[in-house]
Amino acid sequence: MKIMIAYDGSRNAKLALAQVVNMFRCNHPLLVLVGVVENPLDATDNNEALFQQEHDEVKQHLQEGVAFAIGEGFQAEQLLAEGDARKMLLQATRKLSPDLLVIARHSHQPDGGIIAKSLTYFVDELDYMTFGSVSSFLARRAECPLLILPSP
């Protein structure tokens, strides 16, 4: 069994990885952590430096996630892509043919009280209506089963 996890090192991605480890431990799957770095909008030196910084951070997060999975007794690999996260994750599923793709729902403010949660809900709905989201994009297009884990 091969499980692909969209992984950016965020709190929600780490929680999703931990949930996958707990849920699928008895299946002994290969975990493939996929991180995506957005391409800079222009080729200025400043944007190139920001892109390189993001690239290094995502690579570090992937290495830490793989180390965690291996420490839990899983086989694990990493894949670092560059471009639009939605399209790169879809392309990765087509290339690697996982049995399951796991993503964590994005949250702008993962911790907080009722006001913060209400604001997060509003912002998430606004994002969905105006820009779409990675999870909704993949739910419509992925050719493998998709597990979307909610943020706590």
Side-chain angles (χ1 to χ4, degrees):
M1 176 178 221
K2 184 188 308 179
I3 299 176
M4 181 180 292
I5 304 170
Y7 194 81
D8 61 2
S10 67
R11 175 183 178 271
N12 290 347
K14 289 177 182 179
L15 290 171
L17 176 58
Q19 286 179 298
V20 167
V21 164
N22 289 331
M23 289 172 26
F24 295 99
R25 185 178 304 280
C26 63
N27 297 82
H28 306 291
L30 167 64
L31 301 182
V32 180
L33 279 65
V34 181
V36 180
V37 181
E38 298 277 341
N39 289 327
L41 296 176
D42 62 48
T44 64
D45 287 341
N46 190 33
N47 276 344
E48 184 59 34
L50 290 173
F51 171 79
Q52 189 60 48
Q53 178 183 355
E54 182 181 358
H55 181 276
D56 295 344
E57 288 174 3
V58 171
K59 185 176 180 179
Q60 179 65 33
H61 291 310
L62 286 171
Q63 290 169 345
E64 291 168 359
V66 166
F68 170 78
I70 290 172
E72 292 290 323
F74 287 78
Q75 293 180 3
E77 300 175 355
Q78 68 185 38
L79 174 65
L80 181 59
E82 297 175 6
D84 181 289
R86 300 169 303 162
K87 294 175 184 176
M88 294 298 99
L89 289 168
L90 182 61
Q91 183 177 340
T93 63
R94 291 178 176 162
K95 180 181 177 183
L96 299 177
S97 302
D99 297 298
L100 179 66
L101 171 61
V102 177
I103 60 175
R105 268 198 330 229
H106 179 68
S107 170
H108 293 283
Q109 189 167 347
D111 296 316
I114 187 69
I115 294 173
K117 289 179 182 176
S118 297
L119 182 59
T120 296
Y121 175 78
F122 173 75
V123 171
D124 285 345
E125 286 301 311
L126 184 62
D127 279 352
Y128 177 77
M129 290 185 300
T130 57
F131 307 112
S133 69
V134 174
S135 57
S136 64
F137 179 89
L138 292 170
R140 292 189 304 269
R141 292 174 178 83
E143 298 169 3
C144 65
L146 174 65
L147 176 59
I148 303 171
L149 295 172
S151 54

